Amino acid sequence: MTLMQWFIFFLALQVIHFLGTWKLYKKAGRQAWEALVPVYNAVILMKIIGRPWWWTILLFIPIVNLIMFPVIWVETARSFGKNTTTDTVLVIVTLGFYLYYLNYVENITYKTERSLVPKSASGEWVSSILFAVVAATIVHTYVMQPFTIPTGSLERTLLIGDFLFVSKFHYGARTPMTTVSFPMVHDTIPGVGIKSYLDKPQLPYFRLPGFQDVKRSDIVVFSWPVDTVNRFYGLDDGKYYHKPIDKKSNYVKRAVGLPGDSLKVVDGKVFVNNEPLELPDRAQLQYSYQGTSKGGGFNAKNLYDQYKITNLRFYNATQFATQAITDENAERFKNHPNVASLEKLIATPDQKDPSIFPKGNASLGNRDQIASVYIPKKGATTPISTENLPLYKRLIEIYEGEEMGEPREISVNGNQVLLNGEPLSEYTFKQDYYWMMGDNRHNSEDSRFWGFVPENHIVGKPVFIWFSWDSNGKGIMEKIRWERLFTTVGGNGKPVSYFLYFIIALVGYFVISKVIKNKKAKS
């Protein structure tokens, strides 16, 4: 929906609210016109139902408002003596239109001294759970979101089984675009296996101000730009299904290219604006190596402890390969008494991989050799021709067209590129774009395979590892990576665990709370 359509929809809601409540406002001692004025009518309604004015703010927060509207409907009915379970059910199942019946048919009286305290233990539990969900949804959406590392694309910096807190406020929280969604889940309802959201209506993209921009080499969580599903929850009809931006799968990679940069990959190394990419101390690039042994096998624990090798595989009696080892560890592994030879697997420039962006004959090269590519910047204008069209076609049609509510179609007539039937010789980008890559260069599905990440797909910045679980550990105590608990994601040098400080603070909190409680009891 466009902004104008949303404005009309908002005005329509005000009219619906006025027609269904104006008599109730009068019975509560207010004026009928107060039920019509946008926002003001909500503030007055909070006074009528005896709730704080700031509840009005919650009515305008996407997803949270889906919880708050039924609460307000029920509270309004109860303010006029409709407290039974039947009344509550009728208000909810009629989506609030039960208030029309109360407004025009029922002879009801406003309860000026209505108690706001739940009359039963179950009612108190429901109220507590409801507002816990509201608070958690606000934190999850606008402040901090938990995230789990599912793959090894950033292995050694972030490990499979790391549980992160992802900051939404560093880059500015992206407000929800999907308006109807089950709270606190992503694209599926756990245990049920069905979509957690409705595709429409959609809000326009908007991001709250952040206090920093995405920096080169930052680790970033983002919505996977090309996430369409051709097998959605058991449906296998060969079609692809559009997913809203904020419901696309979340990926975590390193931002190696920023808006306006020119980027290339040479022999597996990234160059930005013809300079080698600078990485923080904790980044450990990994590549595939193959080698031969002297006839024996390897001890898995020793491989991990000494060389951080987790996936070494033999494909005959003496030949082996691994997808994830740093150059430094590889040099040390060459001196292993059972290693006869070891070499890095780097694709040569003459090998063109059709799976590399933008696919097919237009491929930029292979995983180790990417031709120089310009990363679009907001406001920048670039020539468009049949030669470079594959690079920017999806950006113009989908990221800046369909997903922004402006349907577009690009076609080619001879040597002429057409946008919605009109000649297109240059294009000015409407948003910034990024190039994301994993540190595990040979085991990462990243921008080399699907291209640019639009700014409106940026989710947040991982800042904290609060838990880490190693599925290869033998016992529970060994499975927990204690040295990674409560460590920061960014920074230089070896990560420092703040777990002990957390335990001390937690114990201190309970001790102080107990002392204060005892003093109050004595007084």
Side-chain angles (χ1 to χ4, degrees), residues 297-337:
F298 296 94
N299 180 280
K301 188 176 187 305
N302 176 262
L303 285 180
Y304 180 78
D305 291 342
Q306 298 297 319
Y307 311 103
K308 302 304 179 185
I309 298 175
T310 57
N311 63 349
L312 187 140
R313 297 287 185 271
F314 277 87
Y315 49 92
N316 60 38
T318 59
Q319 292 181 305
F320 62 85
T322 177
Q323 278 189 312
I325 183 172
T326 65
D327 289 344
E328 180 183 2
N329 284 331
E331 286 300 314
R332 294 174 51 245
F333 188 46
K334 285 181 181 179
N335 297 320
H336 189 285

Side-chain angles (χ1 to χ4, degrees), residues 269-289:
K269 305 293 185 182
V270 175
F271 290 79
V272 180
N273 302 323
N274 290 321
E275 295 291 334
L277 174 68
E278 293 186 11
L279 292 169
D281 292 349
R282 295 184 189 177
Q284 298 185 52
L285 300 185
Q286 296 173 89
Y287 299 90
S288 294
Y289 277 78

Side-chain angles (χ1 to χ4, degrees), residues 71-87:
V71 172
I72 300 300
W73 299 335
V74 171
E75 290 288 311
T76 302
R78 290 178 177 177
S79 296
F80 292 88
K82 295 298 180 177
N83 296 306
T84 68
T85 301
T86 301
D87 291 317

